[in-house]
């Protein structure tokens, strides 16, 4: 049987298998989408063996490997080269492994649906990893007033700011410290770190500091409401979690792998946190 799948570590939070298997079943495609939870010391071996595993036709990549898998691929699509990270791998008909990035389009598509235009806006991004790259590049294209990147390791934030500046004339800078985050002066705050996935995680933004006009977009979708979103909601801020982005990036990946339009409504129903789904998926019980 043909296989698709997700590489990452850890993967307990992921809804990708539920979403893609629903799409494969709906279209009668005899294939299975599997979760490949690969510890960092096993990544190299997995990627080297992937070349010979012809039954694996496509993969998604998640935290923490979006940048690390790039060196094992034969070709990078412009989407992956521009962003500097890969979230989708496709085995091409000649066996070559090609890397794509569908995160940026997915994020911007959802932002448009929410009626948020980045033009002239002040934006703060938490994180400087693979997802933050896709978000920063997507936003930089649309002439914001300023993008500030807050990251645990300043060096990585500076690298991302420099990478974006080389492609766009945009005011983007690495912030020295999260303590300098000026929420009232921000129109859009994006969390592109995994902080909030675990109940014990610290929240990077203080209770009481959100302004009403801000849109707080957390790329985390499990739990559906992270501590960051709960704090923002309590103060009347607009909030969005990562579920629609998951859907849109997955739909584009599905289309790349199968050359078929992705059945988005089926995929969305599979991951919707309805009471029935919640009971069925231990994932929401964390
Ligand atoms: P990544 O490439 O590994 O980057 C992780 C980022 O988070 C880095 O900037 C890292 O900082 C920071 N970070 C990690 N642990 C931290 C901690 N304990 N304290 C402070 N900062 C920390 O991961 P990614 O692929 O960008 O994913 C980031 C998040 O976005 C994940 O939660 C992922 O599930 C989510 N995501 C969601 C979607 C969606 O479709 N909804 C798509 C993509 C990603 P350092 O650089 O200092 O290590």
């Amino acid at each position: 049987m043909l296989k698709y799948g997700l590489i990452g570590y850890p993967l307990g939070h992921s809804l990708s298998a539920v979403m893609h298997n629903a799409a494969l079943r709906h279209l009668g495609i005899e294939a299975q989408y599997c979760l490949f939870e690969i510890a960092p010391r096993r990544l190299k071996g997995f990627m080297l063996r992937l070349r010979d595993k012809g039954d694996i036709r496509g993969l998604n990549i998640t935290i923490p490997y979006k940048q690390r898998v790039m060196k094992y691929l034969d070709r990078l699509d412009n989407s992956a080269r521009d962003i500097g990270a890969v979230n989708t791998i496709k085995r091409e008909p000649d066996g070559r492994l090609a890397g794509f990035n569908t995160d940026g389009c997915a994020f911007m598509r959802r932002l448009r649906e929410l009626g948020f235009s980045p033009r002239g806006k002040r934006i703060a991004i938490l994180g400087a990893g693979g997802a933050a790259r896709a978000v920063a590049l997507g936003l930089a294209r649309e002439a914001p007033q300023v993008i500030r990147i807050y990251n645990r390791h300043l060096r990585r934030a500076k690298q991302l700011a420099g990478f974006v500046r080389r492609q766009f004339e945009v005011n983007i800078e690495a912030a020295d410290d999260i303590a300098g985050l000026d929420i009232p002066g921000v129109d859009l705050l994006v969390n592109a770190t995994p902080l909030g996935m675990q109940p014990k995680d610290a929240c990077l933004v203080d209770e009481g500091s959100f302004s009403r006009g801000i849109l707080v977009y957390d790329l985390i979708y499990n739990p559906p409401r992270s501590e960051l979103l709960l704090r923002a909601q309590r103060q009347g801020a607009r909030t969005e979690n990562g579920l629609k982005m998951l859907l849109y990036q997955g739909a584009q990946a599905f289309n790349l792998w199968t050359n078929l339009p992705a059945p988005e409504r089926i995929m969305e129903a599979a991951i919707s946190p309805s009471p029935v789904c919640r009971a069925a998926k231990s994932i929401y019980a964390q």
Side-chain angles (χ1 to χ4, degrees), residues 13 61-68 87 103 106 126-133 150-154 156-157 191-195 197 201 204 217-221 241-250:
H13 67 282
I61 317 298
T62 188
I63 185 169
Y65 298 138
K66 286 183 180 177
Q67 290 172 269
R68 281 185 233 175
N87 81 329
D103 279 339
L126 309 178
R133 281 181 163 251
Y150 296 83
N151 196 48
R152 182 174 54 177
H153 294 105
L154 180 59
R156 212 165 167 205
N191 178 34
T193 78
L195 278 178
M197 290 171 84
D201 283 349
L204 293 172
Y217 196 142
D218 197 334
L219 303 196
I220 292 172
Y221 57 82
N241 72 16
L243 203 65
K244 285 278 186 177
M245 178 173 167
L246 174 80
L247 172 67
Y248 296 158
Q249 62 77 32

Side-chain angles (χ1 to χ4, degrees), residues 22 37 84 90 99 127 134 139 179-181 196 207 242-243 247 256 266 274:
E37 192 170 66
K90 174 182 178 170
L139 291 167
L181 178 59
E207 183 91 52
L243 203 65
L247 172 67
L256 282 168
I266 300 293
S274 68

Side-chain angles (χ1 to χ4, degrees), residues 224-245:
R225 282 194 208 97
S226 62
E227 180 59 26
L228 177 71
L229 295 191
L230 287 171
R231 285 184 184 188
Q233 273 175 351
R234 281 199 286 272
Q235 285 193 254
R238 289 178 72 200
T239 59
E240 177 70 10
N241 72 16
L243 203 65
K244 285 278 186 177
M245 178 173 167

Side-chain angles (χ1 to χ4, degrees), residues 108-158:
M108 295 307 292
R109 177 176 165 191
R110 184 58 187 156
L111 214 52
R112 271 193 299 277
E113 283 177 355
L114 293 170
F116 185 95
S117 163
R119 178 169 291 276
K121 300 289 192 331
R122 298 154 302 178
I123 296 164
I125 300 174
L126 309 178
R133 281 181 163 251
V135 166
L137 255 293
L139 291 167
R141 281 198 175 88
E142 304 213 0
Q145 188 187 116
V146 62
I147 302 177
R148 251 182 222 107
I149 301 166
Y150 296 83
N151 196 48
R152 182 174 54 177
H153 294 105
L154 180 59
R155 186 182 50 84
R156 212 165 167 205
K158 284 184 172 166

